[in-house]
Short mmCIF file of all heavy atoms in Angstrom, two decimals:
data_model
loop_
_atom_site.label_atom_id
_atom_site.label_comp_id
_atom_site.label_asym_id
_atom_site.label_seq_id
_atom_site.Cartn_x
_atom_site.Cartn_y
_atom_site.Cartn_z
N ASN A 2 16.51 -3.80 -24.35
CA ASN A 2 16.05 -2.41 -24.27
C ASN A 2 16.81 -1.66 -23.21
O ASN A 2 16.99 -2.16 -22.10
CB ASN A 2 14.56 -2.34 -23.95
CG ASN A 2 13.71 -2.89 -25.06
OD1 ASN A 2 14.15 -3.02 -26.17
ND2 ASN A 2 12.46 -3.21 -24.73
N MET A 20 7.49 -3.07 -1.79
CA MET A 20 7.24 -1.95 -0.85
C MET A 20 5.76 -1.89 -0.48
O MET A 20 5.42 -1.65 0.67
CB MET A 20 7.70 -0.63 -1.45
CG MET A 20 9.21 -0.48 -1.49
SD MET A 20 9.76 1.18 -2.01
CE MET A 20 9.56 1.07 -3.78
N GLU A 33 -5.14 -3.80 16.48
CA GLU A 33 -5.35 -4.59 17.70
C GLU A 33 -6.85 -4.69 17.97
O GLU A 33 -7.58 -3.69 17.80
CB GLU A 33 -4.64 -3.94 18.89
CG GLU A 33 -3.13 -3.93 18.71
CD GLU A 33 -2.40 -3.25 19.85
OE1 GLU A 33 -3.04 -2.84 20.85
OE2 GLU A 33 -1.17 -3.10 19.72
N SER A 36 -8.36 -2.02 20.11
CA SER A 36 -8.20 -0.61 19.71
C SER A 36 -9.58 0.05 19.62
O SER A 36 -10.60 -0.64 19.50
CB SER A 36 -7.53 -0.50 18.33
OG SER A 36 -6.21 -0.92 18.39
N THR A 40 -9.69 4.03 15.54
CA THR A 40 -8.38 3.56 15.12
C THR A 40 -8.52 2.37 14.16
O THR A 40 -7.86 2.30 13.12
CB THR A 40 -7.52 3.18 16.33
OG1 THR A 40 -7.34 4.36 17.16
CG2 THR A 40 -6.17 2.65 15.92
N GLN A 57 -4.90 -2.74 -8.75
CA GLN A 57 -5.16 -2.08 -10.04
C GLN A 57 -3.85 -1.90 -10.81
O GLN A 57 -3.79 -2.11 -12.03
CB GLN A 57 -5.87 -0.74 -9.83
CG GLN A 57 -6.40 -0.17 -11.13
CD GLN A 57 -7.40 0.94 -10.92
OE1 GLN A 57 -7.94 1.13 -9.83
NE2 GLN A 57 -7.67 1.68 -11.97
N LEU A 58 -2.77 -1.50 -10.11
CA LEU A 58 -1.47 -1.34 -10.76
C LEU A 58 -0.97 -2.65 -11.33
O LEU A 58 -0.46 -2.71 -12.46
CB LEU A 58 -0.44 -0.78 -9.77
CG LEU A 58 -0.65 0.64 -9.29
CD1 LEU A 58 0.35 0.98 -8.20
CD2 LEU A 58 -0.55 1.63 -10.43
N ALA A 66 2.45 -7.29 -18.63
CA ALA A 66 3.86 -7.32 -19.07
C ALA A 66 4.48 -8.69 -18.78
O ALA A 66 5.19 -9.24 -19.62
CB ALA A 66 4.66 -6.21 -18.39
N LYS A 79 -3.59 -17.50 -11.41
CA LYS A 79 -4.44 -17.41 -10.24
C LYS A 79 -4.39 -16.05 -9.54
O LYS A 79 -5.15 -15.78 -8.62
CB LYS A 79 -4.13 -18.53 -9.25
CG LYS A 79 -2.79 -18.46 -8.57
CD LYS A 79 -2.65 -19.64 -7.62
CE LYS A 79 -1.47 -19.42 -6.70
NZ LYS A 79 -1.43 -20.37 -5.61
N LYS A 88 -11.00 -8.20 -3.21
CA LYS A 88 -11.92 -7.10 -3.46
C LYS A 88 -13.29 -7.38 -2.84
O LYS A 88 -13.95 -6.46 -2.33
CB LYS A 88 -12.06 -6.84 -4.97
CG LYS A 88 -10.82 -6.23 -5.59
CD LYS A 88 -10.97 -6.16 -7.12
CE LYS A 88 -9.65 -5.80 -7.77
NZ LYS A 88 -9.71 -5.90 -9.24
N HIS A 118 -1.18 -14.56 -1.00
CA HIS A 118 -0.91 -13.92 -2.30
C HIS A 118 0.50 -13.32 -2.33
O HIS A 118 1.24 -13.50 -3.30
CB HIS A 118 -1.98 -12.84 -2.53
CG HIS A 118 -1.88 -12.15 -3.84
ND1 HIS A 118 -2.21 -12.73 -5.03
CD2 HIS A 118 -1.49 -10.88 -4.14
CE1 HIS A 118 -2.04 -11.87 -6.01
NE2 HIS A 118 -1.60 -10.74 -5.51
N GLU A 122 3.64 -14.19 -4.81
CA GLU A 122 4.30 -13.16 -5.63
C GLU A 122 5.79 -13.05 -5.31
O GLU A 122 6.62 -12.98 -6.21
CB GLU A 122 3.61 -11.79 -5.42
CG GLU A 122 2.32 -11.68 -6.16
CD GLU A 122 1.79 -10.27 -6.27
OE1 GLU A 122 2.22 -9.38 -5.51
OE2 GLU A 122 0.90 -10.09 -7.11
N MET A 134 12.52 -9.99 -17.32
CA MET A 134 12.38 -8.63 -17.80
C MET A 134 13.57 -7.72 -17.51
O MET A 134 13.71 -6.70 -18.14
CB MET A 134 11.09 -8.02 -17.25
CG MET A 134 9.86 -8.65 -17.84
SD MET A 134 8.38 -7.72 -17.52
CE MET A 134 7.82 -8.48 -16.03
N ALA A 143 8.26 3.05 -13.48
CA ALA A 143 7.89 4.44 -13.77
C ALA A 143 6.44 4.54 -14.19
O ALA A 143 5.73 5.46 -13.76
CB ALA A 143 8.81 5.00 -14.85
N LEU A 152 -4.18 7.53 -9.44
CA LEU A 152 -5.22 6.86 -8.65
C LEU A 152 -5.34 7.45 -7.24
O LEU A 152 -6.44 7.53 -6.68
CB LEU A 152 -4.91 5.36 -8.54
CG LEU A 152 -4.97 4.56 -9.84
CD1 LEU A 152 -4.42 3.16 -9.64
CD2 LEU A 152 -6.41 4.51 -10.37
N GLY A 158 -7.38 13.45 0.51
CA GLY A 158 -8.04 13.76 1.78
C GLY A 158 -8.42 12.51 2.55
O GLY A 158 -8.24 12.44 3.76
N ILE A 160 -6.95 9.58 2.31
CA ILE A 160 -5.70 8.95 2.77
C ILE A 160 -5.22 9.63 4.05
O ILE A 160 -4.88 8.97 5.04
CB ILE A 160 -4.62 9.01 1.67
CG1 ILE A 160 -5.03 8.09 0.50
CG2 ILE A 160 -3.24 8.61 2.22
CD1 ILE A 160 -4.21 8.28 -0.78
N LEU A 165 -4.66 9.64 10.07
CA LEU A 165 -4.89 10.26 11.38
C LEU A 165 -5.75 9.37 12.27
O LEU A 165 -5.46 9.21 13.45
CB LEU A 165 -5.55 11.63 11.22
CG LEU A 165 -4.64 12.76 10.77
CD1 LEU A 165 -5.44 14.03 10.50
CD2 LEU A 165 -3.55 13.02 11.80
N ARG A 166 -6.79 8.79 11.70
CA ARG A 166 -7.65 7.90 12.48
C ARG A 166 -6.90 6.66 12.96
O ARG A 166 -7.15 6.15 14.03
CB ARG A 166 -8.83 7.42 11.63
CG ARG A 166 -9.92 8.41 11.49
CD ARG A 166 -11.09 7.80 10.75
NE ARG A 166 -12.16 8.77 10.60
CZ ARG A 166 -13.06 8.72 9.65
NH1 ARG A 166 -13.04 7.75 8.76
NH2 ARG A 166 -13.99 9.63 9.59
N PRO A 169 -2.66 5.83 17.04
CA PRO A 169 -3.09 5.86 18.44
C PRO A 169 -2.98 7.29 18.97
O PRO A 169 -2.17 8.07 18.50
CB PRO A 169 -2.06 4.95 19.13
CG PRO A 169 -1.39 4.18 18.05
CD PRO A 169 -1.52 4.99 16.80
N MET A 174 -0.54 12.74 19.91
CA MET A 174 -0.12 13.77 20.87
C MET A 174 1.37 14.04 20.73
O MET A 174 1.80 15.18 20.76
CB MET A 174 -0.46 13.33 22.30
CG MET A 174 -1.96 13.19 22.57
SD MET A 174 -2.85 14.73 22.37
CE MET A 174 -2.39 15.54 23.87
N ALA A 176 3.21 13.60 18.01
CA ALA A 176 3.41 14.30 16.74
C ALA A 176 3.01 15.77 16.87
O ALA A 176 3.71 16.66 16.38
CB ALA A 176 2.62 13.63 15.64
N MET A 181 4.57 21.48 17.41
CA MET A 181 4.56 22.74 18.15
C MET A 181 5.97 23.15 18.55
O MET A 181 6.34 24.32 18.44
CB MET A 181 3.65 22.60 19.39
CG MET A 181 2.19 22.58 19.01
SD MET A 181 1.04 22.23 20.39
CE MET A 181 1.66 23.20 21.72
N THR A 184 7.76 24.45 15.48
CA THR A 184 7.26 25.78 15.13
C THR A 184 7.86 26.83 16.05
O THR A 184 8.32 27.89 15.61
CB THR A 184 5.72 25.82 15.19
OG1 THR A 184 5.20 24.81 14.34
CG2 THR A 184 5.17 27.17 14.80
N MET A 187 11.53 27.36 15.19
CA MET A 187 11.71 28.10 13.95
C MET A 187 11.43 29.59 14.15
O MET A 187 12.17 30.44 13.68
CB MET A 187 10.81 27.53 12.86
CG MET A 187 11.30 26.20 12.33
SD MET A 187 10.21 25.49 11.08
CE MET A 187 10.34 26.70 9.79
#
Side-chain angles (χ1 to χ4, degrees):
N2 294 341
M20 287 187 281
E33 295 177 5
S36 292
T40 299
Q57 192 165 345
L58 292 173
K79 68 180 193 169
K88 289 173 191 172
H118 183 72
E122 282 194 344
M134 291 194 267
L152 294 171
I160 292 167
L165 284 173
R166 281 185 181 156
M174 296 297 284
M181 287 173 43
T184 303
M187 287 178 64

